[in-house]
Amino acid sequence: METLPAANSRPSLILFPILAALVLLAYLPALNQPLMEDDYPNIILAQGYGPPSGWPDLFHNPVFRVRTTTWLLMYSVNRMFGMHASAYYSATILLQVINTWLLYLLGAWRTLSYTLTAWAAAFFAVHEGHQEAVMWLSGSTEPLLLLFGLISLLSWILFLEGRRPGWYAASILAFCGALLSKESAVVLLALLLLPVAADRRPWRVTLFLIPHAALAGMVVLSIALTRGYSFRFQDGSFSLHAPFWLTWPNSYARLFWFWGLLSLLAILVWKPNHYGRILAIALAWVGISLAPYSFLTYLTRIPSRQTHLASVGLALVVGLALAALYDRYWTNHRALVTLVCAAVVIHNVGYLWTKKRSQFLARAAPTEQLIAVARATQGPIYVECFPRPPLVAEAALQLMTGRPASDLIWNAAEANRRHAAATFCYSGNEPVRR
C-alpha cells in the first residue's frame, strides 16, 4: 500500500514576491486596456447594490444576490477610483496574485507538498487559458469564487490536520463567501471531499461538512426557484437540455492542451513519488470544476473565464511534471530545466501580450468609439448601427461622459424629430460620424 507523505515543511516566504511578479508579468498590459462592453451595465448595477443602502434590495433579489462579492468589488473600486479602467484591472490582477499565493499554500495538504504547489502556482500565475477571469472585469466572479473556495479548502485541510475549531469556522465562512460569488460555487462541496478521500481519512469526518452541504443546498434551491424568470435560464447560460456530454469532455481536453498533455506524458514516464494519488486529485478537481459550466446551450466548449477554478487542477498536473523535471535534471542539466521553464513562461505570457490583448481591444472598440464621439458631440446622437445591446451604449455614455441615456437615439424618425447632432455607426475600424 502506498504510504502517506510525511508532514510538510513551512512555505518559503521568498516565493511570494516571485509568484506575484509572474502574475504582473503576465497581465501588465491589461492595465492599459479599456473596459469591456458588459462592464458598464454591471458597474451601474454595482452602484445600486454595492452600498449598504442597496443591500436589502440585493438580499431580496435571488438572481443577483449569488454574485454579491462582484457588486461589492465593483462598487468599492468605483467609489475609490471612479471610472479609471486601470483601477478595475488592478483589482482583478490583485485577485490573481492572492489566488496564486493560496494555491501555493495548498502545500499544507499532506498529499501535496510546498515544492509541488510552488511549481503549480508558478504555472497558474502565467497560464493564459483562463485569461478572461483576469482581463475582463465582469469575469471577476471567477477569481472571487476561487478566492473564497481556496480559503475554505485550505482552512478545511488545516482543521483536518489539527481539529482546531477556528479553522473549521473559517472554512464555513469562506464557503459562504464563495456561495455569494457565483452560482457554480456549490461544486466546492465536492472539492472539500478530496482531502478526505485522497488522505484516506475516516469517512465520519465528512459529518463536519453538514453545514457546508446545508448552505449549498439552500443556494441550489434558491437558484431552482428562479427558473421561471431568471435571464440566466433564458440566455443559454444554463439548461438541463444542453449537450453536456459533448461540452464536458471537449472542454476537459481543451484545458489540457498542450502543456497539460505534455505534463501527463512526462509524469507517466517518470513516475514521481505519489504521482497516482496526486493525478487522481488533479483530474478529479478538473472534472468537478467543469461540471456546472457544461450545460451551456450556445457553445460546446466552456469559455476561458469559466475554466479558472478547473485550472487549479491543471496547474497541479503541470506543477508535478515541472517538480519531477527539476529533481531529475537540475543537477546535471540545468540548461534543459531553464529552457523548459522559459518556454512555459514565454509561450503563455507572449500569447497574453499579443493575441489575447488584441482580441480584448477589438471587443472594446465599438463602445470606445461611441464614447469618443459622445465626448466630442453636444446634443443627441443617433446610433444608426452598434454591434452591442443598447443597454451597453447607454450605461457607457452615462458612466464615461455623465450624459443621460436619453441622449442616444435608436431610430431615424426620433433622430429627425429631435434634430440629432450626430449620427454614429460602428464601421469595424473607425466610427462613421455624420
Side-chain angles (χ1 to χ4, degrees), residues 232-252:
R232 303 200 189 282
F233 288 99
Q234 313 298 327
D235 65 358
S237 297
F238 184 88
S239 174
L240 292 175
H241 303 291
F244 65 89
W245 59 89
L246 294 176
T247 305
W248 186 86
N250 182 28
S251 301
Y252 203 118

Side-chain angles (χ1 to χ4, degrees), residues 6-329:
N8 291 315
S9 60
R10 295 181 179 274
S12 173
L13 294 180
I14 192 62
L15 285 179
F16 287 93
I18 293 174
L19 292 172
L22 286 173
V23 173
L24 293 175
L25 174 66
Y27 292 104
L28 193 61
L31 294 175
N32 292 322
Q33 179 179 287
L35 294 171
M36 299 298 109
E37 61 271 19
D38 291 353
D39 297 337
Y40 297 104
N42 282 332
I43 292 173
I44 294 285
L45 286 173
Q47 289 178 338
Y49 289 133
S53 60
W55 293 352
D57 289 339
L58 178 59
F59 177 78
H60 289 97
N61 189 320
V63 176
F64 289 124
R65 70 183 174 210
V66 291
R67 302 195 177 190
T68 295
T69 59
T70 297
W71 311 130
L72 294 178
L73 174 69
M74 291 184 179
Y75 171 73
S76 299
V77 176
N78 184 253
R79 285 283 294 175
M80 290 187 289
F81 302 104
M83 287 304 299
H84 294 285
S86 59
Y88 292 98
Y89 290 121
S90 295
T92 60
I93 292 171
L94 178 60
L95 284 174
Q96 180 72 356
V97 169
I98 297 173
N99 284 330
T100 301
W101 287 344
L102 288 170
L103 174 52
Y104 174 43
L105 292 176
L106 280 185
W109 187 345
R110 64 167 66 179
T111 301
L112 308 179
S113 68
Y114 287 113
T115 299
L116 165 59
T117 57
W119 286 105
F123 176 78
F124 183 83
V126 300
H127 177 46
E128 57 82 18
H130 52 230
Q131 25 68 35
E132 271 190 331
V134 184
M135 299 176 71
W136 182 23
L137 177 62
S138 295
S140 61
T141 52
E142 306 298 335
L144 285 166
L145 183 161
L146 182 59
L147 171 71
F148 291 105
L150 287 177
I151 294 174
S152 181
L153 175 62
L154 182 59
S155 300
W156 169 244
I157 290 169
L158 294 173
F159 168 71
L160 291 176
E161 293 292 339
R163 291 292 198 279
R164 295 184 179 181
W167 288 119
Y168 182 57
S171 178
I172 295 175
L173 288 174
F175 192 76
C176 290
L179 293 175
L180 291 174
S181 297
K182 196 168 185 182
E183 303 87 337
S184 53
V186 295
V187 301
L188 292 172
L189 181 63
L191 297 181
L192 291 174
L193 292 173
L194 291 179
V196 179
D199 297 350
R200 297 170 184 171
R201 297 179 183 273
W203 282 100
R204 62 177 178 272
V205 302
T206 60
L207 293 175
F208 287 105
L209 290 176
I210 289 177
H212 301 75
L215 290 166
M218 291 171 58
V219 170
V220 170
L221 178 61
S222 173
I223 295 171
L225 292 175
T226 68
R227 290 189 64 186
Y229 58 87
S230 172
F231 65 91
R232 303 200 189 282
F233 288 99
Q234 313 298 327
D235 65 358
S237 297
F238 184 88
S239 174
L240 292 175
H241 303 291
F244 65 89
W245 59 89
L246 294 176
T247 305
W248 186 86
N250 182 28
S251 301
Y252 203 118
R254 288 175 62 89
L255 180 67
F256 275 82
W257 181 258
F258 62 96
W259 290 111
L261 178 59
L262 289 177
S263 297
L264 281 173
L265 294 174
I267 291 168
L268 294 176
V269 171
W270 293 334
K271 295 181 172 58
N273 290 337
H274 311 292
Y275 78 95
R277 193 179 301 187
I278 295 170
L279 277 183
I281 292 171
L283 297 179
W285 183 295
V286 172
I288 292 168
S289 301
L290 293 177
Y293 300 112
S294 299
F295 291 87
L296 298 171
T297 59
Y298 58 89
L299 281 175
T300 56
R301 58 179 177 83
I302 296 172
S304 64
R305 66 187 179 279
Q306 294 174 343
T307 66
H308 200 239
L309 179 61
S311 292
V312 171
L314 170 66
L316 290 175
V317 172
V318 178
L320 180 59
L322 291 174
L325 174 73
Y326 181 88
D327 288 342
R328 292 174 66 90
Y329 295 108

Side-chain angles (χ1 to χ4, degrees), residues 357-368:
R357 175 169 169 77
S358 65
Q359 290 178 351
F360 279 101
L361 292 177
R363 284 174 58 180
T367 310
E368 286 297 293

